[in-house]
Amino acid sequence: MAIYTRRVWGWMFFDWASQPYLTLLLTFIFGPYFAEIVAADLVANGASPAAAGARAQALWGWGLTAAGLAIAVLAPILGAVADRSGRRMVWIAGFSALYIAGAAALWWAVPEAPPVGLVLVAFGIGFIGMEFATIFSNALLPGLGARPELGRISGAGWAFGYVGGVVALILMLAAFADNAEGRTLLGAAPALGLDGATREGTRFVGPFTALWFALFMIPFFLWVRDDPLPAGRARVGLGETLRDLGRTLRALPRHRSRFAFLLASLFYRDGLNGMFTFGGIYALGVLGWEVAQIGVFGILAAITGAVFAWLGGFADDRFGPKPVIVACIAALLLAACAVVAITETSVFGIAVTPGSALPTVAFYVAGCLIGAAGGALQSASRTMMVRQADPDRMTEGFGLYALSGKATTWLAPLLIAIVTAATDSQRLGIAPLILLFLLGLVLLIWVKPDGDRTSR
């Protein structure tokens, strides 16, 4: 039987459509641009460049913390409601509207006296929309194929999403995203008559991401439908749903493998999100890169992510998701240590001559490693959750998975914000990510490859 049916392709288009929020907005274009304009505004008001860069990084961290807390609180509740109602597509449609509205509103991130509060709220609305739509989309995975095929389907979806992110990033860099001189990566003025003097080309990344998502969600909504409720299972009301969710949460520690996996993913996914979220801002402040240069870095990381997400899907089917997850966390630990050890004047503690290309090359290599390990890790984690969750409560399971990913989404930004503010060093501010990866790796010891089902 063919694995890649029209329904599977429709489902994978969600990854293609949604990836630019992470690639363009969170990591490689808007995040660094936000840090750049906020830092410039702080310097204009008397702050030192180093303090301004640290403050901008901290503000970004506080904004993500607030959005992460909202997601953590609501994710399991909405997942449980969707499972009991048997409706997921309507939730995906509703949160898609938030994605589009939040992304489009980033156009108002003007460089002169930027409206920091408005920008962070708009970004948070879009981010919440993207995350919740992802929860309900992920919950459709078990119905897309037989269990031995899910690793390849999940890996192909992540790879397809990364390719979408690369294509969107290339288009933005070539035609729109401008530097301080108002020029794109190709040295031309931004397309569509956008004004480089007011950074309209870079600010267009918000509306561009919104339009991209709206366009490429069309195949998803045309080809994907809700799975029917199992025979004999009726829809239940909100009150009973919430009581049942409470029972599930209280019983969670008794399912040791599932509980350990959710705790492990809580830490290692938070570390990975921290790498993606602050990588571009780090390169901007520590290595002195411009947005266009960060974009090239993003292209390389996304390409390796696509390739290794696809290869990781085959490894997942062959060996199971747990060995893939362990190998990826080990690679991310290595990458995190490397990033902390790279500065504009030294690499791994060894001084380099002024103007040396070695720090740039070393950071590119670290970025490729992060992209490769991150792509395979996210794909394998998605199929691992399928193995750990109750088959009859898959959306609730992915709601708990989102909770584990978002309950401490505030932790990495908070630790980075605290350490950055305390040391006045963006480089040292990244160091807490090493601890998060280590905690995740240790907790995987108690995770069974096939979950708790063998003991039930």
Side-chain angles (χ1 to χ4, degrees):
M1 184 179 71
I3 294 179
Y4 301 111
T5 62
R6 189 172 68 170
R7 186 168 187 255
V8 170
W9 273 108
W11 179 82
M12 293 196 301
F13 260 100
F14 178 87
D15 284 333
W16 174 285
S18 64
Q19 180 65 28
Y21 207 100
L22 301 174
T23 305
L24 272 62
L25 300 187
L26 183 65
T27 308
F28 297 117
I29 293 184
F30 188 80
Y33 170 71
F34 174 85
E36 178 187 340
I37 61 174
V38 171
D41 187 61
L42 291 170
V43 168
N45 285 282
S48 69
R55 174 66 175 160
Q57 178 168 291
L59 283 170
W60 190 242
W62 294 123
L64 291 173
T65 297
L69 287 172
I71 295 166
V73 170
L74 294 174
I77 297 173
L78 293 179
V81 169
D83 274 337
R84 296 336 181 260
S85 69
R87 303 180 70 191
R88 293 166 180 148
M89 298 297 292
V90 66
W91 290 97
I92 294 172
F95 286 115
S96 294
L98 290 185
Y99 178 118
I100 292 169
L106 298 179
W107 167 260
W108 303 108
V110 295
E112 299 295 332
V116 174
L118 173 64
V119 170
L120 289 177
V121 168
F123 185 89
I125 288 172
F127 189 60
I128 288 169
M130 184 271 297
E131 287 286 351
F132 279 125
T134 300
I135 291 169
F136 295 107
S137 174
N138 283 344
L140 296 168
L141 175 60
L144 298 177
R147 182 170 171 175
E149 302 168 340
L150 296 183
R152 273 176 291 169
I153 292 173
S154 180
W158 273 111
F160 193 51
Y162 269 114
V163 172
V166 169
V167 173
L169 186 55
I170 291 173
L171 287 174
M172 271 301 304
L173 291 173
F176 300 107
D178 43 27
N179 57 22
E181 288 73 42
R183 296 290 169 178
T184 69
L185 183 64
L186 300 180
L192 304 179
L194 297 173
D195 184 8
T198 57
R199 304 299 298 275
E200 287 185 350
T202 299
R203 288 157 50 198
F204 183 64
V205 69
F208 176 90
T209 301
L211 290 168
W212 179 281
F213 183 80
L215 175 64
F216 289 112
M217 282 297 284
I218 292 173
F220 178 88
F221 285 113
L222 285 178
W223 298 339
V224 180
R225 293 291 181 269
D226 281 318
D227 293 313
L229 279 174
R233 188 169 131 203
R235 293 179 170 86
V236 298
L238 178 61
E240 178 57 31
T241 293
L242 295 179
R243 287 189 290 273
D244 200 22
L245 174 61
R247 290 190 289 269
T248 298
L249 290 172
R250 288 191 296 273
L252 189 56
R254 296 201 297 270
H255 301 281
R256 191 166 77 164
S257 178
R258 186 187 308 165
F259 190 47
F261 174 65
L262 290 171
L263 285 176
S265 72
L266 178 151
F267 290 111
Y268 72 68
R269 287 195 293 149
D270 202 26
L272 179 60
N273 289 335
M275 296 283 270
F276 284 148
T277 301
F278 291 94
I281 295 174
Y282 181 91
L284 178 81
V286 175
L287 301 180
W289 286 9
E290 293 184 341
V291 169
Q293 196 172 8
I294 295 170
V296 174
F297 169 81
I299 291 172
L300 293 176
I303 290 173
T304 57
V307 171
F308 280 87
W310 182 69
L311 293 175
F314 286 93
D316 185 328
D317 281 352
R318 175 66 177 85
F319 304 107
K322 184 176 178 179
V324 177
I325 293 171
V326 170
C328 290
I329 295 175
L332 287 167
L333 267 171
L334 177 62
C337 292
V339 167
V340 173
I342 298 170
T343 73
E344 202 170 9
T345 58
S346 66
V347 176
F348 302 113
I350 302 173
V352 298
T353 58
S356 170
L358 186 57
T360 295
V361 172
F363 201 72
Y364 275 139
V365 172
C368 289
L369 182 58
I370 293 168
L377 178 63
Q378 292 175 100
S379 171
S381 295
R382 185 159 62 181
T383 55
M384 176 61 90
M385 190 62 231
V386 172
R387 295 190 180 205
Q388 303 295 322
D390 184 332
D392 293 330
R393 300 182 176 184
M394 196 57 63
T395 318
E396 180 183 278
F398 274 102
L400 294 173
Y401 181 65
L403 171 62
S404 78
K406 297 305 174 187
T408 57
T409 293
W410 51 269
L411 182 59
L414 180 63
L415 291 175
I416 290 171
I418 290 173
V419 175
T420 300
T423 62
D424 246 2
S425 168
Q426 286 185 258
R427 185 173 67 86
L428 295 178
I430 297 294
L433 300 182
I434 297 171
L435 175 63
L436 295 177
F437 287 128
L438 282 172
L439 287 171
L441 195 59
V442 170
L443 285 165
L444 285 173
I445 293 171
W446 290 276
V447 176
K448 298 177 182 178
D450 291 311
D452 298 293
R453 294 168 189 165
T454 55
S455 62
R456 287 208 296 266

